Amino acid sequence: GENVEQHPSTLSVQEGDSAVIKCTYSDSASNYFPWYKQELGKRPQLIIDIRSNVGEKKDQRIAVTLNKTAKHFSLHITETQPEDSAVYFCAASRGGNEKLTFGTGTRLTIIP
Amino acid sequence: GAVVSQHPSWVICKSGTSVKIECRSLDFQATTMFWYRQFPKQSLMLMATSNEGSKATYEQGVEKDKFLINHASLTLSTLTVTSAHPEDSSFYICSATGLALGNEQFFGPGTRLTVL
C-alpha cells in the first residue's frame, strides 16, 4: 500500500520568513496530493491540493510543487504570519473516491 | 461548500460499554465515507472505508467486530465502538466524498472519546 513520509516533524520560522515542508510517497498510481492544516482539537482543513497533471500550484502565500518522477511534493508558505502556526499534514491518494494516506505531520511554529 | 457534521462532539463512557458516533453529510450525497482515528500528537490513521449500501472495508489491524460501521444512506454513516476500553480513547474523525466533488474529502469536526 501507499506510504507517505513527511519532513520535518517540527519547524520554527521567524515571522515573515518562508516555510517549506516536504513529503515523499511510494505508490506511483497516486495522483492526488492535498495539504491540510489542523489546529488543536479541530478537523483538518484543506489548504491546497495538486493533481498529477500539474507541477506547481499557487494560492496567495501558499504553493505546492510536485515531482512525479521523484515521487515527492512540497508545501511552501511565504511571508509567514503567527496564524500560520498549526500542524500540517500532506496526503496522497489514487483519486476519485480512493482513500487518503496521510503523512506524519509537521508542527509549524511562527516566532513573532 | 460541502458540510459534514459529527455527533456527539465528545463522549465519556465507562469501560465495557458501547458508543455510537454519527457522521452526516448535510448538503451533498456521500457515496463514500471514511473513518479515521487520531491519537494525541499523531497523524490521522484510516480505520475503514464505507460505501453506501455496502460492507465497510477495514484497514489492516482494525478489528471489524469491535468497530462496527454502518453506511445505510447517502447522508449518514455510523461508527459503533463496542465494549470500549481505555485504549480506545481517541479523536475519531469522519470524512465524506461524493460524485461531482472531485477528489476532495470533507471532514467532520471529530468526536473525542474518553473511556474511563
Side-chain angles (χ1 to χ4, degrees):
Chain A
E2 175 72 282
N3 181 46
V4 178
E5 295 189 357
Q6 183 172 346
H7 300 280
S9 57
T10 61
L11 179 61
S12 294
V13 173
Q14 206 73 35
E15 181 179 354
D17 288 349
S18 297
V20 179
I21 303 170
K22 298 182 179 182
C23 288
T24 61
Y25 63 99
S26 61
D27 184 357
S28 57
S30 289
N31 60 17
Y32 175 62
F33 308 93
W35 284 89
Y36 296 91
K37 176 183 180 182
Q38 187 181 31
E39 297 177 348
L40 189 63
K42 301 290 181 65
R43 77 185 87 193
Q45 288 181 298
L46 177 70
I47 56 172
I48 196 167
D49 57 13
I50 192 167
R51 289 166 175 77
S52 60
N53 58 343
V54 175
E56 183 174 357
K57 183 177 178 181
K58 189 175 181 180
D59 182 4
Q60 298 183 339
R61 297 187 295 109
I62 297 172
V64 56
T65 59
L66 171 65
N67 183 326
K68 282 222 75 177
T69 303
K71 294 199 190 74
H72 66 70
F73 56 113
S74 301
L75 176 70
H76 304 253
I77 306 175
T78 58
E79 301 173 21
T80 53
Q81 301 168 3
E83 51 265 36
D84 294 331
S85 294
V87 179
Y88 291 80
F89 292 99
C90 63
S93 93
R94 292 186 171 189
N97 289 352
E98 295 290 319
K99 63 182 180 182
L100 286 169
T101 301
F102 281 81
T104 49
T106 297
R107 181 171 299 278
L108 175 63
T109 302
I110 306 303
I111 304 166
Chain B
V3 180
V4 176
S5 70
Q6 250 181 273
H7 179 80
S9 56
W10 59 270
V11 57
I12 301 172
C13 69
K14 293 182 179 180
S15 186
T17 60
S18 294
V19 174
K20 180 184 282 188
I21 302 170
E22 292 186 348
C23 177
R24 294 182 184 271
S25 58
L26 300 185
D27 52 3
F28 68 100
Q29 293 186 327
T31 50
T32 305
M33 286 184 167
F34 303 88
W35 286 95
Y36 297 87
R37 181 168 50 181
Q38 186 176 31
F39 292 110
K41 297 187 178 181
Q42 293 189 23
S43 186
L44 284 79
M45 297 301 297
L46 181 65
M47 300 174 68
T49 301
S50 167
N51 291 300
E52 185 266 338
S54 304
K55 288 185 178 180
T57 301
Y58 290 80
E59 294 298 299
Q60 192 172 2
V62 178
E63 300 174 58
K64 63 180 181 181
D65 294 330
K66 179 171 181 61
F67 299 99
L68 302 178
I69 292 172
N70 183 282
H71 190 169
S73 78
L74 284 171
T75 59
L76 174 65
S77 177
T78 60
L79 166 68
T80 301
V81 183
T82 62
S83 187
H85 291 283
E87 56 265 30
D88 298 323
S89 298
S90 187
F91 193 49
Y92 291 86
I93 309 175
C94 70
S95 72
T97 189
L99 299 177
L101 292 178
N103 301 313
E104 186 173 353
Q105 290 186 21
F106 296 88
F107 285 84
T111 297
R112 182 154 307 279
L113 170 63
T114 302
V115 185
L116 302 177

